[in-house]
Amino acid sequence: MPAGKSERGHEITKVSESGEREEVSFDVRRVGFRIQTVNGEKYFYNMDEAIITELTMRFDWEYFSQFPELASEVKERQRVIDAESQRSGDNKSKLKKILANLEERHDENGNWTATLKGYSYDKERASLDKLIEDIYEKNKSEFSSSEDVFTMFAKSSMTGRLLPVARLVEKTYGKGSFRMLGENL
């Protein structure tokens, strides 16, 4: 069976025993929080990336220091966070969400340089944080913290089961708001 890539995704030509040919499409419609229509429209792409990045950051903070190969880099990053917190007065947990790693190298002139690298999807993570905080504020009777709301979003992203989040968003913002959220995030 010859395989190819169509405008919509991956397709193969299925040939029956009688020689009939049929095009069969294997498009990915849902992955995590993302939804893609048959027309190629994407919903929740940025939200999915924001959730995944947030989960990656949490894994980093919790476990990277336990890897001997990464321990010195994690320690140096923490030193930079501590120093920047002292210098700027910024909260360490705020800085932790910004600083992913410290890249040190020699530049073209042989000078030693250090570059602070951040995590991906800053704007998207900020939008997600704002959304989660707003949902929490409007539904305090159902949640003990905004972390509980994030957990609900993370579970939906990991399982692909969006209905609990969709119901919460529709309850909080009204009918049609989940779709609008998908179009805008």
Side-chain angles (χ1 to χ4, degrees), residues 55-68:
L55 291 171
T56 301
M57 291 163 55
R58 292 169 182 219
F59 184 85
D60 172 351
W61 303 332
E62 184 72 24
Y63 297 107
F64 278 13
S65 63
Q66 297 174 21
F67 291 95

Side-chain angles (χ1 to χ4, degrees), residues 3-19:
K5 186 169 168 90
S6 73
E7 199 172 291
R8 291 184 333 212
H10 295 290
E11 289 187 350
I12 62 169
T13 302
K14 177 180 166 185
V15 181
S16 69
E17 288 181 21
S18 64

Side-chain angles (χ1 to χ4, degrees), residues 22 26 28 56 85 87 90-91 93 102 105 118-119 127 131 134-135 143 153 164-165 175:
E22 177 186 2
F26 290 97
V28 175
T56 301
S85 176
R87 187 192 69 72
D90 281 341
N91 176 314
S93 61
L102 181 66
R105 62 187 161 120
Y119 289 98
S127 294
L131 173 67
D134 191 52
I135 289 173
F143 299 100
F153 276 74
V165 171
K175 187 170 172 52

Side-chain angles (χ1 to χ4, degrees), residues 16 51 56 65 80 95-96 106 150-151 155:
S16 69
I51 293 167
T56 301
S65 63
V80 170
L95 292 169
K96 205 161 114 173
H106 287 92
F150 173 76
T151 299
K155 281 181 182 177

Side-chain angles (χ1 to χ4, degrees), residues 7-138:
E7 199 172 291
R8 291 184 333 212
H10 295 290
E11 289 187 350
I12 62 169
T13 302
K14 177 180 166 185
V15 181
S16 69
E17 288 181 21
S18 64
E20 289 184 54
R21 300 171 70 83
E22 177 186 2
E23 298 296 319
V24 181
S25 175
F26 290 97
D27 292 336
V28 175
R29 183 159 150 28
R30 294 234 344 250
V31 175
F33 221 94
R34 300 171 211 208
I35 299 171
Q36 182 169 323
T37 67
V38 291
N39 299 333
E41 297 168 349
K42 293 180 183 167
Y43 297 92
F44 298 110
Y45 177 85
N46 290 326
M47 181 178 289
D48 197 45
E49 289 297 336
I51 293 167
I52 291 166
T53 301
E54 181 67 28
L55 291 171
T56 301
M57 291 163 55
R58 292 169 182 219
F59 184 85
D60 172 351
W61 303 332
E62 184 72 24
Y63 297 107
F64 278 13
S65 63
Q66 297 174 21
F67 291 95
E69 301 85 0
L70 301 174
S72 65
E73 290 179 37
V74 170
K75 188 181 271 187
E76 180 62 16
R77 177 178 62 182
Q78 188 59 50
R79 185 192 66 72
V80 170
I81 288 171
D82 293 344
E84 181 59 22
S85 176
Q86 287 258 330
R87 187 192 69 72
S88 67
D90 281 341
N91 176 314
K92 285 183 188 180
S93 61
K94 175 185 170 190
L95 292 169
K96 205 161 114 173
K97 287 191 100 167
I98 297 168
L99 182 59
N101 69 337
L102 181 66
E103 187 177 285
E104 298 176 303
R105 62 187 161 120
H106 287 92
D107 65 14
E108 59 277 353
N109 298 324
N111 298 321
W112 189 253
T113 63
T115 306
L116 303 177
K117 299 277 184 171
Y119 289 98
S120 306
Y121 298 98
D122 288 339
K123 285 188 334 191
E124 293 82 356
R125 287 187 294 113
S127 294
L128 176 64
D129 287 348
K130 185 177 177 193
L131 173 67
I132 286 172
E133 192 58 40
D134 191 52
I135 289 173
Y136 169 65
E137 289 297 324
K138 292 178 178 177

